[in-house]
Amino acid sequence: MRHRWSWILVLGATAAGADERAGEGEPPSTVRLEEVTIIGTREEAGGIAGAAHRLDEDTLARFSHVDVQRIVRQVPGVSVQLEDGYGLRPNISIRGVATERSARITLLEDGVLIAPAPYSAPSAYYFPTAGRMASFEVLKGPSAITQGPYTIGGAFNMISTPVPASDGVGDVFIETGQHGTGRLHATYGGTGSNGFGYLLETHRWISDGFQSIDRSDNDTGLDVRDYTVKFALSPPASPHRVELKLQFADQVSNQSYLGLTDTDFSADPTRRYGLSALDRIETDHEQVILRYEYAASDTVRLAVSAYDNRHARNWFKTEGIDFDGSATAEEFSRTSWSSVVRAVNRGAGLGGFSAVELGAILRGELDTPPGSIQVRSNDRSYASRGVQLVANWTLTTGASSHALRVGVRYHEDEEDRLQRNSAYSQRGGRLHLDDLGRLGNAGNRIQRAEAVAVFLQDRIEFGDWTLTPGLRYEDIDQNRIRYEIRVGRTADPSSRAASNLRSTRSNRTRVWLPGFGAAYRFADGAVLIAGVHKGFTAPSNAPDVDAEEALNYEFGLRLGDSRRQLEAVAFVSDYDNLLGECTSSSGADCEVGDAFNGDAATVRGLEFKAAAELARDAGFAVPFEIVYTYIDGRFDTDIADTDFFGDVSAGDPIPYIPEHQLHSTIGVHGDGWSGNLSANFVGAVCVRASCGAFEKTDKLLTFDVAGRYRLNDSLALFVRVENLSNTENIVGRHPYGARPNRSRTAAVGLEFDW
C-alpha cells in the first residue's frame, strides 16, 4: 500500500526540514534523548495535564517483585484479573476496559508495541519479564492518544535496563524461595569516553509451582530465560545517538486453563485435576530495535525506531469433552470444561451425565469412552514489525511556550495458527491417547493487519495554565484467511494452496481521535486537571462488528511538595459500543475469533493516591503510600443472549471489574537497611453480566513484607514474604473453573553490585 509509505516520507521530510532550519547558526548542543519514556521522571509525571504515573527503580526495589500483577496494583485505576498466580500472561485493565490478556490497553516496551500481534491478535500471550525492568509508566486520559491503538484505558510502557552512563558497572541479584523458586538477574555494561556503550543482561526465573496435580509427578511451575544485549554510540559533542537492542526469551510453564468446582476448591484450593496433567506451554520470543536519535538543537529533537518482534507459542492443554466419544479428532464437537464445571456447581446434568458423575469425571474417579477428551496443541506464531518517528519542537511565542510533538508509525503484524486436536480418554484417572489427529484440524488460518498511525500534540504553557490539545489518526487494514482440513485428503494437511481455501474476511477502519487536556496551577503545589478525549479499540476482522469507541472525561486535583503528594481524579468512559471478542481464555462457549457488540455502556470511577514521608528528621524515614480505586462499570442496554456476554439487562455490571481496590505500603528506611509492608484489597467481581450463583469471585486481602540490609558497600541481603497470611480465595473463574491466588511464598536473596 504505497499511500502508507508516503505518509512516512512526507512527515519524515517535514521533520528533517525542521531540524535543518533549527540547526542553522549555533551548533547543536549535546543532548541525550530518552525516547523510550513517555512520561520521564516521577516529578515530570506530576506536571502532565492528565493522569500519569511512573514506578521508578527505588519504588520497585522495595519488594523486588517479578510478578507484574503485584507491581501494577500500585497504580490507581489499574485492575488485574488473576489467573496463574505468577503474572506470566497477565490480565490488566486500565479504567475499566476488558481485562482479558491485557488486550485492551496499549502495551509497550521501550516505547515500542510489544503484544505478539497488537492489531490482529493483541492478547498478551507474550509479556515481558517484569523482573528485568528498570521502571514502568502508565498514561491515561487525553495524553494517551499519543500511544495507540488502544486509547480508552491508556498505555502501559515497560522500560528495560538502560546502558550504564559510566564504564564497568555490574549488578547480580540471586534469590531462592519456597516451591522450588529461584531467580537470577545479572547485568554488566558501561559507556567509554568515546561514547560507545553496551549492556549485557540475563534473567532466569524458575519454580515448581504452588499447585499439585492429581496422580501426577508433573509440577505446575515455570522456567523463564531472558537475555538482552544493547549497543549504543553517542560520540562526545555529537547530536547523534544510535542504539541497537537485541532481546531473546523462552519460557516453559506447566499451566492449565482448567480450574476447580467450588466444592473441590473448598477442600483444596491448590489442587489441579489429573485431566490437566499434560497441560504445558512453550514460548520463544525475539526482539530487535534499532533507534536513532538526533538533537538538532536544544529545541528540536528527532527519534526514529525500527522494530521487529517474533513470537512462537504452543500451549498443549485439555479443552473439553465429547461425552459419547463417538467423534474422531477431526470431527470433535466438544463441550467445554467451563460448561462442565458450571453444571457441577449448579447440581445440573449435562450430556446425559448427572452432576455427581460430571464431578467424578473431573476428579478422575470415572472413566470416559475412547476419544472423549479433547487435548489441543495451540500452536501459533506471531510477527510484529514497523517503524516509528517522533519529532519534538519547543518554542516560545510572547507570553506562552509550546512543546509540539508529532509522530507517525507504520506497523504490520500477523498471527499464524496451525493447531491440532488430539482425542484422549481417561482410564484409571490418567489420560490415554486414542487419536493423534491431523495437523491443522483445530485451526489452519492466518490473520494480518497493516496500520498507519499519526498523532499531533501541543503542550501550551502560559501563566498558570497548561493546555494539551492533540489529535490521532488510525488507518487499519485487517484480513483473515482460513484453510480447510478434510478427512481422508492425501495432500499435505497443512497446505495453504488456493484449492484448500475455506473462507476469507477483511475490514478497514479509519478513525480520528481528538483529545484535550488542561491543568491550572491555582496555588503553589496545587493543580486542577481536566480532560476529554475520544477513545478507541482496534476492532477484529470479524464482519458486522462495530469498533469499540468511547468518549472519556476526567477531572481532578493534584497537591504536593517534596514530602507529601496527593492526587484525586474522577473519570467517565461513555461507550458507544462495548466490544467482546471470543478467545479460549474467555471461557465462553463461542467460536474463537468471533466478536460481539455489547452496545452502550458507562464506566465511572475515582482514582486516589496519597504519599508522605513521615519521621523524616528522626534519623530514619517512614514512607507511606495509599492507592484507592473505585470503578462502577455497567451495560446501558438490554442485549439478547449471546455466547459471549450472556443475557444482559441494562444496569448489569461489566465482568471482572472490581468496584473497590485498595493498596497501601508503609516502610521504615534507615542507613543501609529498610523494611516494607504492603496490604492489597480487591473486592469481589462478577465474571458474567448476570452475576448469578457461581458467577462471582471472592474478595481478597493479602499482605507482603520485605526487608533489605546492606552488609557492605557492594553486598546486600534481601528477604521477602508474599501473601503473608496465606489467604487462598477464588480470584477468578475463567477460563474453566475456580482459580486460586498464589499461596504464601518466602524468599531470600543476595544483591552484589559494583
Side-chain angles (χ1 to χ4, degrees):
M1 298 190 175
R2 297 178 183 174
H3 73 283
R4 297 184 180 278
W5 288 104
S6 66
W7 275 99
I8 298 171
L9 295 174
V10 168
L11 188 58
T14 302
D19 291 341
E20 292 170 1
R21 291 188 295 273
E24 295 174 356
E26 294 295 322
S29 61
T30 301
V31 180
R32 172 158 179 179
L33 304 180
E34 292 293 346
E35 177 57 31
V36 296
T37 67
I38 303 171
I39 297 169
T41 65
R42 293 181 68 182
E43 290 74 19
E44 289 170 331
I48 290 178
H53 298 273
R54 179 181 173 91
L55 302 174
D56 58 20
E57 266 187 297
D58 291 340
T59 302
L60 299 177
R62 294 176 184 174
F63 292 91
S64 294
H65 289 306
V66 71
D67 181 354
V68 70
Q69 299 169 134
R70 289 184 130 82
I71 294 171
V72 298
R73 65 190 184 188
Q74 301 175 68
V75 179
V78 175
S79 308
V80 177
Q81 172 193 332
L82 299 181
E83 184 178 323
D84 58 35
Y86 291 98
L88 298 174
R89 285 157 290 277
N91 305 289
I92 300 173
S93 166
I94 299 176
R95 290 188 170 177
V97 301
T99 61
E100 188 190 341
R101 290 285 177 265
S102 309
R104 301 297 174 84
I105 63 176
T106 299
L107 289 176
L108 307 153
E109 181 177 339
D110 294 333
V112 166
L113 293 173
I114 197 60
Y119 284 85
S120 58
S123 294
Y125 286 98
Y126 167 75
F127 201 91
T129 305
R132 65 174 172 84
M133 295 300 164
S135 57
F136 298 86
E137 298 175 328
V138 177
L139 194 65
K140 300 168 284 187
S143 296
I145 66 170
T146 63
Q147 312 295 325
Y150 303 95
T151 60
I152 297 176
F156 182 43
N157 186 32
M158 293 158 274
I159 302 168
S160 64
T161 305
V163 174
S166 55
D167 203 9
V169 177
D171 182 274
V172 177
F173 181 85
I174 302 174
E175 180 181 283
T176 184
Q178 288 177 280
H179 313 305
T181 301
R183 184 158 73 100
L184 166 67
H185 184 206
T187 67
Y188 182 77
T191 300
S193 59
N194 61 355
F196 175 75
Y198 67 96
L199 171 74
L200 306 175
E201 181 175 30
T202 182
H203 189 283
R204 180 78 183 274
W205 182 25
I206 60 173
S207 178
D208 292 336
F210 66 98
Q211 296 170 288
S212 59
I213 305 174
D214 294 349
R215 302 170 301 280
S216 175
D217 295 329
N218 293 345
D219 64 42
T220 59
L222 55 94
D223 187 343
V224 180
R225 293 174 288 187
D226 204 317
Y227 310 98
T228 304
V229 178
K230 291 184 179 181
F231 300 103
L233 180 61
S234 182
S238 171
H240 304 279
R241 185 175 189 272
V242 179
E243 181 174 292
L244 174 65
K245 175 187 176 186
L246 307 173
Q247 187 260 327
F248 313 90
D250 63 71
Q251 176 194 133
V252 176
S253 55
N254 297 326
Q255 298 297 315
S256 175
Y257 276 13
L258 184 56
L260 300 170
T261 66
D262 282 41
T263 298
D264 290 335
F265 188 98
S266 297
D268 183 0
T270 60
R271 172 188 192 177
R272 259 182 47 187
Y273 296 132
L275 287 164
S276 70
L278 303 179
D279 291 10
R280 174 186 177 94
I281 182 172
E282 299 182 6
T283 72
D284 290 287
H285 179 81
E286 300 176 4
Q287 181 189 64
V288 179
I289 300 177
L290 179 62
R291 191 185 313 275
Y292 167 69
E293 302 168 345
Y294 175 56
S297 68
D298 289 335
T299 60
V300 179
R301 305 180 182 187
L302 174 71
V304 181
S305 301
Y307 58 93
D308 185 77
N309 294 310
R310 305 294 177 95
H311 183 65
R313 52 152 283 200
N314 191 358
W315 201 335
F316 194 71
K317 63 179 185 290
T318 181
E319 293 278 352
I321 183 169
D322 173 14
F323 288 104
D324 61 15
S326 61
T328 67
E330 266 67 39
E331 300 168 333
F332 205 102
S333 177
R334 67 177 174 89
T335 299
S336 73
W337 289 121
S338 60
S339 296
V340 175
V341 170
R342 284 199 295 267
V344 174
N345 282 338
R346 293 167 178 163
L350 190 67
F353 289 77
S354 68
V356 173
E357 291 171 321
L358 294 175
I361 291 173
L362 289 170
R363 292 188 295 272
E365 300 163 356
L366 185 65
D367 291 349
T368 67
S372 57
I373 307 296
Q374 182 192 78
V375 178
R376 177 173 296 176
S377 174
N378 288 266
D379 196 355
R380 308 176 196 175
S381 60
Y382 303 84
S384 171
R385 62 186 74 87
V387 60
Q388 60 190 38
L389 177 151
V390 177
N392 295 276
W393 181 28
T394 59
L395 69 155
T396 301
T397 58
S400 65
S401 66
H402 296 259
L404 189 65
R405 194 173 190 214
V406 182
V408 62
R409 179 178 65 217
Y410 170 78
H411 174 91
E412 57 185 32
D413 61 48
E414 70 175 36
E415 178 200 55
D416 187 342
R417 299 188 183 209
L418 188 58
Q419 304 178 161
R420 184 201 306 268
N421 278 343
S422 298
Y424 286 71
S425 57
Q426 181 172 250
R427 300 198 298 273
R430 295 182 181 274
L431 291 176
H432 295 266
L433 177 64
D434 298 314
D435 182 2
L436 180 62
R438 302 185 70 183
L439 184 64
N441 67 356
N444 185 3
R445 76 187 196 209
I446 301 174
Q447 51 191 27
R448 297 186 176 97
E450 187 178 9
V452 164
V454 181
F455 75 83
L456 171 65
Q457 187 180 64
D458 189 12
R459 178 186 173 95
I460 307 168
E461 296 185 1
F462 60 95
D464 294 323
W465 286 91
T466 300
L467 307 178
T468 55
L471 182 66
R472 184 178 190 86
Y473 174 73
E474 291 271 358
D475 184 350
I476 308 166
D477 276 349
Q478 293 179 287
N479 66 79
R480 188 184 79 175
I481 305 173
R482 297 182 70 184
Y483 297 91
E484 190 70 71
I485 297 298
R486 301 185 182 91
V487 178
R489 286 178 64 251
T490 57
D492 179 4
S494 63
S495 170
R496 262 74 185 271
S499 60
N500 203 34
L501 183 66
R502 177 179 175 182
S503 64
T504 63
R505 69 188 194 192
S506 64
N507 66 28
R508 183 175 184 182
T509 303
R510 287 175 286 187
V511 61
W512 293 94
L513 304 170
F516 183 84
Y520 175 67
R521 186 177 302 276
F522 63 91
D524 190 23
V527 181
L528 288 173
I529 61 173
V532 58
H533 77 283
K534 182 179 179 181
F536 171 76
T537 292
S540 73
N541 51 51
D544 302 321
V545 174
D546 300 327
E548 184 173 82
E549 296 182 359
L551 278 178
N552 304 274
Y553 310 88
E554 67 175 15
F555 180 80
L557 171 68
R558 188 182 290 134
L559 304 172
D561 55 29
S562 61
R563 299 185 60 172
R564 294 173 291 271
Q565 299 85 41
L566 182 147
E567 181 174 293
V569 179
F571 65 89
V572 176
S573 294
D574 185 4
Y575 286 83
D576 288 335
N577 181 54
L578 185 72
L579 189 65
E581 186 168 358
C582 185
T583 64
S584 294
S585 59
S586 69
D589 293 321
C590 49
E591 183 176 346
V592 172
D594 284 352
F596 303 88
N597 291 320
D599 296 340
T602 303
V603 177
R604 300 177 178 88
L606 174 66
E607 302 167 349
F608 176 84
K609 181 176 181 178
E613 286 194 16
L614 311 176
R616 194 174 186 180
D617 302 322
F620 56 89
V622 181
F624 173 74
E625 183 174 281
I626 185 168
V627 173
Y628 170 73
T629 302
Y630 167 79
I631 301 179
D632 180 26
R634 298 190 178 274
F635 291 92
D636 291 340
T637 58
D638 297 338
I639 306 174
D641 189 36
T642 69
D643 291 335
F644 186 85
F645 290 110
D647 193 6
V648 178
S649 299
D652 282 349
I654 297 174
Y656 274 115
I657 303 301
E659 189 173 9
H660 300 283
Q661 298 177 92
L662 181 69
H663 181 82
S664 182
T665 301
I666 189 168
V668 181
H669 297 181
D671 185 14
W673 58 271
S674 65
N676 294 281
L677 172 69
S678 72
N680 188 71
F681 172 79
V682 180
V685 301
C686 300
V687 303
R688 289 173 65 86
S690 52
C691 205
F694 308 106
E695 292 181 346
K696 290 187 69 174
T697 66
D698 298 330
K699 61 184 178 182
L700 181 68
L701 175 62
T702 56
F703 299 90
D704 296 343
V705 62
R708 181 178 267 104
Y709 180 75
R710 184 159 287 281
L711 301 172
N712 54 47
D713 289 342
S714 300
L715 187 64
L717 175 67
F718 176 79
V719 296
R720 182 186 62 241
V721 181
E722 296 174 332
N723 191 6
L724 185 64
S725 59
N726 200 31
T727 304
E728 295 175 325
N729 288 349
I730 297 176
V731 295
R733 292 185 179 273
H734 286 158
Y736 309 145
R739 310 183 72 87
N741 57 301
R742 180 151 50 100
S743 52
R744 181 171 51 228
T745 306
V748 60
L750 287 173
E751 185 171 15
F752 178 62
D753 56 80
W754 66 94

